[in-house]
Amino acid sequence: MSARRYSHFRRKTFELFEPELGDRIGHYVDWFIMSLIAVNVAAVILETVDALGTTYATAFYYFELFSVLVFTIEYVCRVWSSVDNPQFDGPITGRLEFASRPLLIVDLLAILPFYLTVGGVQADLRFLRALRLIRLFRLLKLARYSTAMQSFVLVIEEKKEKLVLAFSANLLLLVIASSAMYYIENPYQPEAFSSIPRSFWWGVATLTTVGYGDVHPITPLGQFVGSIVAMLGIGLFALPASILASGFIEHAEDDTAKQYCPHCGEKLE
Amino acid sequence: MSARRYSHFRRKTFELFEPELGDRIGHYVDWFIMSLIAVNVAAVILETVDALGTTYATAFYYFELFSVLVFTIEYVCRVWSSVDNPQFDGPITGRLEFASRPLLIVDLLAILPFYLTVGGVQADLRFLRALRLIRLFRLLKLARYSTAMQSFVLVIEEKKEKLVLAFSANLLLLVIASSAMYYIENPYQPEAFSSIPRSFWWGVATLTTVGYGDVHPITPLGQFVGSIVAMLGIGLFALPASILASGFIEHAEDDTAKQYCPHCGEKLE
Amino acid sequence: MSARRYSHFRRKTFELFEPELGDRIGHYVDWFIMSLIAVNVAAVILETVDALGTTYATAFYYFELFSVLVFTIEYVCRVWSSVDNPQFDGPITGRLEFASRPLLIVDLLAILPFYLTVGGVQADLRFLRALRLIRLFRLLKLARYSTAMQSFVLVIEEKKEKLVLAFSANLLLLVIASSAMYYIENPYQPEAFSSIPRSFWWGVATLTTVGYGDVHPITPLGQFVGSIVAMLGIGLFALPASILASGFIEHAEDDTAKQYCPHCGEKLE
Amino acid sequence: MSARRYSHFRRKTFELFEPELGDRIGHYVDWFIMSLIAVNVAAVILETVDALGTTYATAFYYFELFSVLVFTIEYVCRVWSSVDNPQFDGPITGRLEFASRPLLIVDLLAILPFYLTVGGVQADLRFLRALRLIRLFRLLKLARYSTAMQSFVLVIEEKKEKLVLAFSANLLLLVIASSAMYYIENPYQPEAFSSIPRSFWWGVATLTTVGYGDVHPITPLGQFVGSIVAMLGIGLFALPASILASGFIEHAEDDTAKQYCPHCGEKLE
């Protein structure tokens, strides 16, 4: 292959994975990979159903083989053609720089477990199970394709400071509530409130208002303190939600705010 | 009946079911049908109470007979007189077009089960039970009569994109949380966390903060991950509510907003 | 007593119970009655604690006697002096009109049970118990003294239409969800889902996210439908809260909105 | 030491604990104390885990000794050098005034328990346990170092009146709901609803939507009233959260708001 045809082919490959460049085939590739990710997640979920997992074991295996193959080709093509992006122009340093971006690392994490279990040493079964979970990382690949998800990330970044503050206040309340409950309930329920870290389980269930009911105070003082904590929890634990919501409301106003009077053309404040 | 008297009669029927045309009798018809729907729903509910269902079985049956008769007459009249609406003027195509509108299909679904069970083959009992549920579709008929419900639908349509995004993020968190919990808890609670689809039950109960308590993690790692999930859940699962609420707040502001441009005095839309 | 001194005395009594007229003794009367209500509620609550209720039975009885006496004097004085308010000037019709206002009826309901149980026929014990509950109506008397409570009532009135809509949508979802769950779960849990009205208990616990856990679906289909219902419930059942909150936010903005530029005195929009 | 060197040394000490004065060493002191507080809280928590608490008992003891020493030095230095603040200039009255500020009392409470248990009379073990909890007060010391926490306090102060109103309404609903439930359920569940104060435990669990499930109505009337209470609870108990959230939203708007009057161009505060 001549250098020119090689470079032309690399350019075409590059355009295939950058759908905003308007290539029609690129759009089909896009849709194909997104669908494959969705089916993959469904496969991971359905494989754990005993009846299905054993009956269709080979089907699941070959589908996994096929998926990893496609994702590997996608990954290699992306890295190889990345030098066509003026941002990453060194043949080696550029590609390495490109490969170290968060989305590309997700792409790698989505295929790596397969090669580790197939090519690697025979690890024990428990470890293999945990690796299967990493296959769900493929779901994160969808983030690349979703502009809505990016606006979501934007709101989080804008409100980062307030969210950190709210989470800190929550953590403070959690630590104080769980510790107090440990000292109050431990003598009467040494099992459920065996230590402060274990009391956290009660604290989270109460402050988030989940309230499973497996652990709860039984002494009058414990129930009194628990009541106060539950009431404070509503206010504090709803804060992150309110902050995110206010971010969305502000964005919505930005989008729909009429900026100019349709009659005289003057700017409206 | 002369063609002219026929057409006059059809016109009168048409006006009867379009209360906004200002016919006084049309208003009474409106109220009668709305009340009948309400009593019907009450009947469906009360019929399931054993003591009432057996004692008043015949009363319930005759009331059902009467309701279906009224709703059938209403349905036939609406379809027959629909050609008086200039939108649907072909005698057959116009009526078919009118009958295929969502509200008319609801009207049909509300009476169809009765004819299927009476006139049709003797299906097994379980299937008949499910059909009874469809009688609740009559409740949806109320939507036609409620302008408030329409403003509610408006807000949902306006915020459709954001709602889909929020639900996608929730689904993503649900899939990841339930899968992680399956791998963590399955070895210790093979019954409750028998597969990822079954873990979804725990995931939904936790993320919506319902927390029935029938399924919950018991290992320290499971409780730690469950705590993180519960805290994230508050933020994410409150988003749809916040988005709807912001839609309502914006509508309220529209009602009371400044209507005139401060520069030229023209009315703003 | 001369007619003039009588009328002067009545006028003084009138001013005593209208603190906004600025009478200093009126303020003390105000505070005394509010404190008496608070102590009364505490007494009703503490009386039910077995250890206290039997030991201090006579103390509780004499305090009740004293409270009823004070509230009766207050009620009689209010009605008697009401004719000094130009709004209610007929000696009999004016007083009857005054006595039929909601707050006055609450005042009457707060003392009536005592006279019914003491002076009346010896009713059975269960009925007496229920009457004791009515003593808590005295708490509602506080509403008269609280301006904050009045602003709360204002927000509810302003948002009445939206609140009714939200509650209707909630009721609709509750009826449909509970009915569906009845048909799904009844064959497997004939006890917990014995009828649609009983299924409402599950429906409310799920849609409000309380989730006691005493009733919950156990079939896969039931858990799937229950999951959908729980997710919809978050959005719909949070609406009344959001609507009230938006009312409070709007009021807060009204209060703190800077209306004029501090430099040039021009009005700011 | 000459008076001048003494006064210079006191001035340096003063600057050490007022980081906003820009002293570089002051910043390190700041970070050191904040880290020490964080590690202290972790120690209090981990000490309650049986396995760790007994194995590393001496390590925990010496770390406690070291922490108290550092916090005591910090406290003494702060009080001693406080006279360099023009606000507190009397050598004794100024220092006493400074020591009676809330943050300084927290500082004292954080170290006092240690001296009480070491130097004081041998109190019984239960009392010592409760004192250990006071060590968590050290967490409150962090409030001094966090500007974000101060903005949080600001929002609470601004919305104080509305928050008190919301909490009053909640308390009212709690009292009425719990009392009603006591009279309804007590004859059927004399254990769970033994008195109104005990019914509060059910009331709080329901109104906050925690719903542990250990106590819940079983009679049809109780379940009906409980359903109404749960639905009202969503609206009322979410109010404090909404009020806080609206405070945060307003602050966010203040930051990004229009700063200049559109009429005269002057800056608006």
Side-chain angles (χ1 to χ4, degrees):
Chain A
M1 192 153 38
S2 75
R4 204 177 152 195
R5 287 188 65 186
Y6 168 80
S7 138
H8 175 78
F9 185 65
R10 203 183 59 199
R11 177 83 208 159
K12 278 281 162 217
T13 310
F14 177 69
E15 282 167 3
L16 220 57
F17 294 104
E18 297 286 334
E20 56 268 26
L21 290 179
D23 191 310
R24 222 191 46 194
I25 308 176
H27 256 90
Y28 293 135
V29 170
D30 235 42
W31 273 103
F32 173 66
I33 288 180
M34 278 176 72
S35 312
L36 195 61
I37 292 169
V39 179
N40 252 276
V41 171
V44 170
I45 290 171
L46 293 175
E47 207 179 343
T48 63
V49 181
D50 268 355
L52 296 172
T54 49
T55 317
Y56 301 104
T58 46
F60 279 119
Y61 179 74
Y62 282 114
F63 177 68
E64 168 73 3
L65 214 69
F66 170 71
S67 304
V68 168
L69 192 71
V70 171
F71 291 139
T72 306
I73 292 172
E74 186 212 358
Y75 180 76
V76 169
C77 286
R78 268 187 202 277
V79 172
W80 170 60
S81 70
S82 68
V83 285
D84 270 312
N85 186 334
Q87 247 186 293
F88 310 100
D89 61 355
I92 288 167
T93 53
R95 277 173 182 136
L96 274 178
E97 204 186 323
F98 177 77
S100 61
R101 289 165 78 193
L103 278 176
L104 262 286
I105 289 171
V106 166
D107 283 1
L108 189 61
L109 281 174
I111 49 172
L112 213 61
F114 180 83
Y115 293 112
L116 282 179
T117 57
V118 167
V121 219
Q122 280 303 5
D124 74 299
L125 246 148
R126 283 285 290 287
F127 183 65
L128 284 181
R129 273 205 143 166
L131 279 179
R132 247 181 239 158
L133 189 58
I134 305 175
R135 282 157 62 193
L136 281 175
F137 271 106
R138 281 171 203 161
L139 212 58
L140 292 177
K141 282 170 72 104
L142 283 175
R144 177 204 298 279
Y145 296 98
S146 150
T147 55
M149 199 73 89
Q150 280 153 23
S151 94
F152 186 69
V153 169
L154 213 80
V155 167
I156 288 181
E157 251 166 40
E158 230 169 62
K159 298 280 170 185
K160 201 167 50 186
E161 212 178 310
K162 281 203 158 57
L163 284 171
V164 167
L165 167 64
F167 271 114
S168 306
N170 287 348
L171 213 66
L172 193 81
L173 182 59
L174 179 63
V175 167
I176 291 176
S178 302
S179 304
M181 201 49 89
Y182 164 74
Y183 284 112
I184 295 169
E185 290 287 324
N186 174 269
Y188 304 95
Q189 301 189 77
E191 195 72 25
F193 294 92
S194 65
S195 66
I196 294 181
R198 292 227 64 185
S199 298
F200 281 168
W201 179 238
W202 166 83
V204 169
T206 300
L207 288 168
T208 60
T209 78
V210 169
Y212 290 117
D214 55 334
V215 185
H216 57 79
I218 51 168
T219 63
L221 179 61
Q223 294 191 342
F224 179 73
V225 171
S227 298
I228 307 265
V229 168
M231 287 199 236
L232 288 176
I234 290 184
L236 271 184
F237 271 70
L239 272 185
S242 308
I243 290 165
L244 280 181
S246 82
F248 272 96
I249 290 171
E250 283 161 30
H251 268 247
E253 277 165 6
D254 286 359
D255 296 350
T256 62
K258 281 176 273 162
Q259 298 290 330
Y260 297 93
C261 168
H263 302 286
C264 66
E266 283 274 347
K267 205 175 172 186
L268 299 168
E269 283 109 25
Chain B
M1 192 155 35
S2 74
R4 204 178 151 198
R5 286 188 66 187
Y6 168 81
S7 138
H8 175 78
F9 184 65
R10 203 183 58 200
R11 175 83 209 158
K12 278 279 162 223
T13 310
F14 177 68
E15 281 167 4
L16 221 58
F17 294 103
E18 296 287 332
E20 57 268 26
L21 291 178
D23 192 310
R24 222 192 47 194
I25 307 177
H27 256 89
Y28 294 135
V29 170
D30 234 42
W31 273 103
F32 173 66
I33 289 181
M34 279 176 73
S35 313
L36 195 60
I37 293 170
V39 180
N40 252 277
V41 170
V44 170
I45 290 171
L46 294 175
E47 207 178 341
T48 63
V49 181
D50 268 355
L52 297 171
T54 50
T55 318
Y56 302 103
T58 47
F60 278 119
Y61 179 74
Y62 282 113
F63 177 68
E64 168 74 2
L65 214 69
F66 170 71
S67 305
V68 168
L69 192 72
V70 172
F71 290 138
T72 306
I73 292 172
E74 185 211 0
Y75 181 77
V76 170
C77 286
R78 266 186 203 278
V79 172
W80 170 60
S81 69
S82 67
V83 286
D84 270 311
N85 186 335
Q87 247 186 294
F88 309 100
D89 62 354
I92 288 166
T93 52
R95 277 173 181 136
L96 275 177
E97 206 186 320
F98 178 76
S100 62
R101 289 165 79 194
L103 278 177
L104 263 286
I105 290 171
V106 166
D107 283 2
L108 189 61
L109 281 175
I111 49 172
L112 214 61
F114 180 83
Y115 293 111
L116 283 180
T117 56
V118 168
V121 219
Q122 280 301 5
D124 73 298
L125 245 149
R126 283 285 290 287
F127 182 65
L128 285 182
R129 273 204 143 167
L131 280 179
R132 245 180 241 159
L133 189 59
I134 305 175
R135 282 157 62 193
L136 281 175
F137 270 106
R138 282 171 203 162
L139 212 58
L140 291 178
K141 282 169 72 105
L142 284 174
R144 177 203 298 281
Y145 297 98
S146 150
T147 54
M149 198 74 87
Q150 280 153 25
S151 93
F152 186 69
V153 168
L154 213 80
V155 167
I156 288 181
E157 251 166 40
E158 229 169 63
K159 299 279 169 187
K160 202 166 50 185
E161 212 179 311
K162 282 205 158 56
L163 284 171
V164 167
L165 167 64
F167 272 113
S168 307
N170 286 348
L171 213 66
L172 194 81
L173 182 58
L174 179 62
V175 168
I176 292 177
S178 302
S179 303
M181 202 48 90
Y182 164 74
Y183 285 112
I184 295 169
E185 290 287 323
N186 175 269
Y188 303 96
Q189 300 190 77
E191 196 71 25
F193 293 92
S194 64
S195 67
I196 293 181
R198 293 227 64 186
S199 298
F200 281 168
W201 179 238
W202 166 82
V204 169
T206 300
L207 287 168
T208 60
T209 77
V210 169
Y212 290 117
D214 55 333
V215 185
H216 56 79
I218 51 169
T219 63
L221 180 61
Q223 295 191 340
F224 179 73
V225 172
S227 298
I228 307 267
V229 168
M231 287 199 235
L232 286 175
I234 290 185
L236 270 183
F237 271 70
L239 271 184
S242 308
I243 290 166
L244 281 181
S246 81
F248 273 96
I249 290 171
E250 281 161 32
H251 269 245
E253 277 166 6
D254 283 0
D255 295 351
T256 60
K258 282 175 277 159
Q259 298 291 328
Y260 300 93
C261 166
H263 302 286
C264 66
E266 284 275 347
K267 203 174 174 186
L268 299 170
E269 285 106 26
Chain C
M1 190 154 40
S2 74
R4 202 175 153 200
R5 286 188 67 186
Y6 168 80
S7 138
H8 176 77
F9 185 64
R10 202 183 59 200
R11 177 84 207 158
K12 279 279 162 223
T13 310
F14 177 69
E15 281 167 5
L16 221 57
F17 293 104
E18 297 287 333
E20 56 268 26
L21 291 177
D23 192 311
R24 222 191 47 193
I25 307 176
H27 255 91
Y28 293 137
V29 170
D30 235 42
W31 273 103
F32 173 65
I33 289 181
M34 278 177 72
S35 311
L36 195 60
I37 293 170
V39 180
N40 252 274
V41 171
V44 170
I45 290 171
L46 293 175
E47 207 179 342
T48 63
V49 181
D50 269 355
L52 297 172
T54 49
T55 318
Y56 301 104
T58 47
F60 277 119
Y61 179 74
Y62 283 113
F63 177 68
E64 169 72 2
L65 214 70
F66 170 71
S67 304
V68 168
L69 191 71
V70 171
F71 290 139
T72 306
I73 293 171
E74 186 211 358
Y75 181 76
V76 170
C77 287
R78 267 187 203 278
V79 173
W80 169 60
S81 69
S82 67
V83 285
D84 270 312
N85 186 335
Q87 247 185 293
F88 309 100
D89 62 355
I92 288 167
T93 53
R95 275 171 182 139
L96 275 177
E97 204 186 322
F98 178 76
S100 61
R101 288 165 79 193
L103 277 177
L104 263 285
I105 290 172
V106 165
D107 283 2
L108 189 61
L109 280 175
I111 50 173
L112 214 61
F114 180 83
Y115 294 110
L116 282 179
T117 57
V118 168
V121 219
Q122 281 300 4
D124 74 297
L125 245 148
R126 283 284 289 287
F127 182 66
L128 285 180
R129 273 204 143 166
L131 280 179
R132 245 180 241 160
L133 188 58
I134 305 174
R135 281 158 62 194
L136 280 176
F137 271 105
R138 283 171 202 161
L139 211 58
L140 292 177
K141 283 168 72 103
L142 284 176
R144 178 203 297 279
Y145 298 98
S146 150
T147 54
M149 198 73 87
Q150 280 154 24
S151 93
F152 186 69
V153 169
L154 212 82
V155 167
I156 287 181
E157 252 166 40
E158 228 168 64
K159 298 280 169 187
K160 201 167 50 185
E161 212 179 309
K162 282 203 159 55
L163 284 171
V164 167
L165 167 65
F167 271 114
S168 307
N170 286 349
L171 212 67
L172 194 83
L173 182 59
L174 179 63
V175 168
I176 292 177
S178 302
S179 303
M181 202 49 90
Y182 164 75
Y183 285 111
I184 296 170
E185 290 287 324
N186 174 269
Y188 303 97
Q189 301 189 77
E191 195 72 24
F193 293 92
S194 65
S195 67
I196 293 181
R198 293 227 64 185
S199 298
F200 282 168
W201 178 239
W202 166 83
V204 170
T206 300
L207 288 168
T208 59
T209 77
V210 170
Y212 291 118
D214 55 333
V215 185
H216 57 80
I218 52 168
T219 63
L221 180 60
Q223 296 191 340
F224 179 73
V225 172
S227 298
I228 308 267
V229 168
M231 286 200 236
L232 287 175
I234 290 185
L236 271 183
F237 271 70
L239 272 184
S242 308
I243 290 166
L244 281 181
S246 81
F248 272 97
I249 291 171
E250 283 161 32
H251 268 247
E253 277 165 6
D254 287 359
D255 296 350
T256 60
K258 279 176 277 165
Q259 297 290 329
Y260 298 92
C261 168
H263 303 285
C264 66
E266 283 275 347
K267 205 175 173 187
L268 300 169
E269 285 110 25
Chain D
M1 191 154 41
S2 74
R4 202 175 156 200
R5 286 188 67 186
Y6 168 80
S7 137
H8 176 78
F9 184 64
R10 203 182 59 199
R11 176 84 206 157
K12 278 279 161 221
T13 309
F14 177 69
E15 282 167 4
L16 220 57
F17 292 104
E18 297 286 334
E20 56 268 25
L21 291 178
D23 192 311
R24 222 191 46 194
I25 305 176
H27 256 90
Y28 293 136
V29 170
D30 234 41
W31 273 103
F32 172 66
I33 288 180
M34 278 177 73
S35 312
L36 195 60
I37 293 169
V39 180
N40 251 276
V41 171
V44 170
I45 291 171
L46 293 175
E47 207 178 343
T48 64
V49 181
D50 269 356
L52 296 172
T54 47
T55 317
Y56 301 103
T58 47
F60 278 118
Y61 179 73
Y62 283 113
F63 178 68
E64 169 74 3
L65 214 70
F66 169 71
S67 304
V68 167
L69 192 71
V70 171
F71 290 138
T72 306
I73 292 172
E74 186 211 359
Y75 181 75
V76 170
C77 286
R78 268 187 201 277
V79 172
W80 170 61
S81 70
S82 67
V83 286
D84 269 312
N85 186 335
Q87 248 186 292
F88 309 101
D89 62 354
I92 287 165
T93 53
R95 276 172 182 138
L96 275 177
E97 204 185 323
F98 178 75
S100 62
R101 289 165 80 193
L103 278 177
L104 261 286
I105 290 171
V106 165
D107 283 1
L108 188 62
L109 281 175
I111 50 172
L112 214 61
F114 180 83
Y115 293 111
L116 283 179
T117 56
V118 168
V121 218
Q122 280 301 5
D124 73 297
L125 244 149
R126 283 285 290 286
F127 182 66
L128 285 181
R129 271 205 145 166
L131 280 179
R132 246 180 240 159
L133 189 58
I134 305 175
R135 281 157 62 193
L136 280 177
F137 271 106
R138 281 171 204 164
L139 212 57
L140 292 177
K141 282 169 72 103
L142 283 175
R144 178 203 298 279
Y145 297 99
S146 149
T147 55
M149 199 73 88
Q150 281 154 24
S151 93
F152 186 70
V153 169
L154 213 81
V155 167
I156 288 181
E157 252 167 38
E158 230 169 61
K159 298 279 168 187
K160 202 166 51 186
E161 212 179 310
K162 282 207 156 56
L163 285 171
V164 168
L165 167 65
F167 271 114
S168 306
N170 287 348
L171 213 67
L172 194 82
L173 182 59
L174 179 63
V175 168
I176 291 177
S178 302
S179 304
M181 202 48 92
Y182 164 74
Y183 285 111
I184 295 169
E185 290 287 323
N186 174 268
Y188 304 96
Q189 301 189 78
E191 194 72 25
F193 293 93
S194 65
S195 67
I196 293 181
R198 292 227 63 185
S199 298
F200 281 168
W201 179 238
W202 166 82
V204 169
T206 300
L207 288 168
T208 59
T209 78
V210 169
Y212 291 119
D214 56 334
V215 184
H216 57 80
I218 52 168
T219 63
L221 180 60
Q223 294 190 341
F224 179 72
V225 171
S227 299
I228 308 267
V229 168
M231 287 199 238
L232 288 175
I234 290 185
L236 271 184
F237 271 70
L239 272 184
S242 308
I243 290 166
L244 281 181
S246 82
F248 273 97
I249 290 171
E250 282 162 32
H251 268 247
E253 277 165 6
D254 284 0
D255 295 350
T256 60
K258 283 175 276 157
Q259 298 290 327
Y260 299 93
C261 167
H263 301 285
C264 66
E266 283 276 345
K267 204 175 173 186
L268 300 169
E269 284 106 25

